[in-house]
């Protein structure tokens, strides 16, 4: 059930003000420390942000996809690390449970995920498995009432602080995704270890690290769905995740455009504000048009998903277009700022680095192109 319009409007307004008044002033600190302050994490827990997509029955806010997208747009107006802090709980780290969990599994985990007591991670990528996600090599061998998991997962978001991993592992000899199953793996199980966080180009404060599984005994009761259904679950989870990321991209683009307008209105060259020069106006016009198109695509697709429509194609298109769009907007922003855009003090170069990742995770742009083409051919146009 969707929240009533007044409640949704109040939530959006609260998030908007929180981003502007609390989070944006901390951006340089997060970049320097490569960490989100503990006080901010606690505040976001209190606001219910860890449980946006989890049903009210389990302590979450139970937002629809359209409502979640609007919150994600607002969170996009600041450093992506803030959104990433609770992003796995809202998306790929919890949605496997939401979609395929048993009543017992949901009762055990979802209330604590919704409050942020438990941080989740989604473990699919491996050293030899990226875009070819059906080639999972991590093994899960049935041994009585447990599965023994062995393998390494790579670039796992929030792995450094995750309490619960949704792990994709191969349980059978069937080729591709048909032999992959999904498991809920608590961090406390013997044999689970996490590597040091990677040094990254951007998105400082949002950590990724390797997850190592050394003969980890995972109870059969922790399997999500039936054997061989893991890949199907993962793809359904990613459909929602792609829409969420697309919405974040819209928010970043809108923030960059607003910053560009403010700077161009004050910065003077050739005796007038650079906003009065037509070539600057052209870059602003292109950015605004593309951001509006992305926003419309995201919100329309989110509404269609809420209505029960198959949006595999549209989710891929939204993620593809929005992530590529925000890269172009960030590039124009650097150009509009000129030399200042290359200097750390203004924050534009930071966002330029931050947005580059959007074209890679939740499926690269090239994977989205393949999905869009495949689904278009299936639909006959």
């Amino acid at each position: 059930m969707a929240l009533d319009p007044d409640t949704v409007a109040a939530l959006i307004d609260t998030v908007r003000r929180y981003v502007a008044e609390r989070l944006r002033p901390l951006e340089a600190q997060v970049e320097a420390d490569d960490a989100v302050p503990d006080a901010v994490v606690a505040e976001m827990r209190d606001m219910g942000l860890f449980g946006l997509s989890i049903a009210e029955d389990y302590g979450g806010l139970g937002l629809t996809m359209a409502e979640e997208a609007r919150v994600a747009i607002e969170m996009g107006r600041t450093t992506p690390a803030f959104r990433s802090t609770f992003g796995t709980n809202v998306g790929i780290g919890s949605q496997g449970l939401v979609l395929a969990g048993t009543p017992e599994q949901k009762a055990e985990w979802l209330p604590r995920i919704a409050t942020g007591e438990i941080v989740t991670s989604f473990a699919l990528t491996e050293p030899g498995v990226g875009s070819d996600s059906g080639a999972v090599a991590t093994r899960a061998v049935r041994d009585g009432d447990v599965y023994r998991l062995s393998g390494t997962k790579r670039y796992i978001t929030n792995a450094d602080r995750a309490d619960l991993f949704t792990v994709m592992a191969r349980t059978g000899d069937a080729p591709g995704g048909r032999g992959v199953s999904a498991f809920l793996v608590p961090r406390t199980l013997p044999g689970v270890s996490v590597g040091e966080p990677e040094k990254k180009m951007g998105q400082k404060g949002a950590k990724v690290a390797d997850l190592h599984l050394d003969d980890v005994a995972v109870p059969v009761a922790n399997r999500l769905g039936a054997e061989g259904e893991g890949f199907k679950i993962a793809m359904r989870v990613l459909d929602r995740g792609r829409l969420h990321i697309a919405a974040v991209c819209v928010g970043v683009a809108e923030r960059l455009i607003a910053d560009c307008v403010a700077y161009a209105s004050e910065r003077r060259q050739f005796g007038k504000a650079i906003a009065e020069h037509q070539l600057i106006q052209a870059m602003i016009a292109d950015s605004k048009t593309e951001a509006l198109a992305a926003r419309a695509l995201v919100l329309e697709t989110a509404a269609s998903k809420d209505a029960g429509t198959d949006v595999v194609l549209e989710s891929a298109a939204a993620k593809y277009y929005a992530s590529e769009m925000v890269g172009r907007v960030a590039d124009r922003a650097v150009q509009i700022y000129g030399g200042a855009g290359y200097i750390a003090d203004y924050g534009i170069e930071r966002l330029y680095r931050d947005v580059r990742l959007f074209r890679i995770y939740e499926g690269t742009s090239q994977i989205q192109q393949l999905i869009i083409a495949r689904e278009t051919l299936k639909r006959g146009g």
Side-chain angles (χ1 to χ4, degrees):
M1 291 287 293
L3 299 178
D4 68 85
D6 289 342
T7 301
V8 174
L11 173 63
I12 298 299
D13 182 64
T14 297
V15 174
R16 182 181 297 123
R17 287 187 288 106
Y18 184 66
V19 167
E21 298 169 10
R22 175 63 166 148
L23 300 186
R24 284 192 60 163
L26 294 173
E27 290 176 350
Q29 178 185 332
V30 170
E31 175 79 6
D33 296 345
D34 193 13
V36 173
D38 290 341
V40 169
V41 176
E43 291 162 5
M44 291 193 288
R45 286 190 179 121
D46 291 341
M47 291 171 66
L49 296 180
F50 283 81
L52 294 177
S53 61
I54 295 172
E56 292 179 271
D57 289 347
Y58 296 104
L61 296 183
L63 299 190
T64 65
M65 188 68 243
E67 292 162 352
E68 180 186 327
R70 292 176 61 191
V71 173
I73 289 172
E74 297 302 328
M75 287 302 304
R77 300 179 193 277
T78 186
T79 293
F82 291 120
R83 197 275 328 170
S84 184
T85 298
F86 61 83
T88 49
N89 277 36
V90 169
I92 55 178
S94 70
Q95 288 306 296
L97 256 170
V98 170
L99 293 170
T102 64
E104 294 77 16
Q105 289 170 336
K106 291 179 179 180
E108 180 179 0
W109 298 108
L110 287 180
R112 289 182 287 165
I113 294 172
T115 62
E117 175 189 343
I118 284 179
V119 174
T120 60
S121 273
F122 181 74
L124 173 60
T125 302
E126 298 179 4
V129 176
S131 292
D132 185 9
S133 52
V136 167
T138 295
R139 301 291 302 187
V141 179
R142 182 75 179 260
D143 181 14
D145 59 356
V146 301
Y147 285 89
R148 297 197 171 276
L149 272 63
S150 295
T152 295
K153 298 294 184 176
R154 176 145 294 174
Y155 307 143
I156 306 305
T157 302
N158 286 339
D160 62 306
R161 58 195 185 87
D163 306 290
L164 181 68
F165 299 89
T166 300
V167 176
M168 298 296 149
R170 189 164 297 282
T171 49
D173 295 325
R178 288 179 294 168
V180 176
S181 301
F183 299 90
L184 299 171
V185 181
R187 187 192 192 100
T188 54
L189 291 182
V192 175
S193 61
V194 175
E196 288 296 314
E198 302 283 357
K199 295 180 179 179
K200 311 191 309 301
M201 175 192 295
Q203 298 207 13
K204 298 295 180 64
K207 306 294 180 65
V208 300
D210 285 359
L211 168 67
H212 304 289
L213 304 164
D214 183 11
D215 196 33
V216 180
V218 178
V220 171
N222 283 29
R223 190 185 65 217
L224 276 178
E227 278 199 8
E229 289 187 350
F231 187 74
K232 184 189 302 182
I233 292 169
M235 293 306 101
R236 290 177 65 196
V237 166
L238 287 172
D239 276 346
R240 188 180 185 110
R242 286 164 180 162
L243 265 179
H244 182 102
I245 292 301
V248 174
C249 290
V250 170
V252 178
E254 291 180 350
R255 184 281 186 59
L256 284 165
I257 293 166
D259 286 356
C260 285
V261 168
Y263 182 81
S265 297
E266 296 179 0
R267 173 68 169 161
R268 299 181 64 83
Q269 288 290 283
F270 303 101
K272 57 184 178 181
I274 63 172
E276 298 181 37
H277 294 288
Q278 288 184 336
L279 291 178
I280 298 295
Q281 292 176 1
M283 287 189 282
I284 291 172
D286 286 348
S287 294
K288 185 65 174 180
T289 301
E290 290 187 281
L292 285 171
R295 173 184 268 266
L297 177 57
V298 168
L299 294 180
E300 179 179 321
T301 303
S304 294
K305 182 174 177 60
D306 289 334
T309 304
D310 179 353
V311 292
V312 172
L313 188 161
E314 290 80 5
S315 293
K319 198 272 181 179
Y320 173 48
Y321 182 76
S323 62
E324 294 283 342
M325 173 276 297
V326 76
R328 293 189 293 269
V329 171
D331 187 75
R332 294 186 196 113
V334 173
Q335 199 70 11
I336 290 170
Y337 272 72
Y342 207 72
I343 302 301
D345 289 352
Y346 290 83
I348 298 300
E349 63 82 30
R350 182 188 68 245
L351 288 171
Y352 180 82
R353 289 183 286 107
D354 288 344
V355 303
R356 186 61 182 85
L357 184 57
F358 292 135
R359 291 157 60 189
I360 296 173
Y361 64 11
E362 308 280 353
T364 65
S365 290
Q366 288 65 43
I367 289 298
Q368 307 312 321
Q369 287 177 300
L370 293 176
I371 294 170
I372 295 163
R374 181 194 70 205
E375 294 299 315
T376 301
L377 290 167
K378 283 167 59 177
R379 297 182 188 184

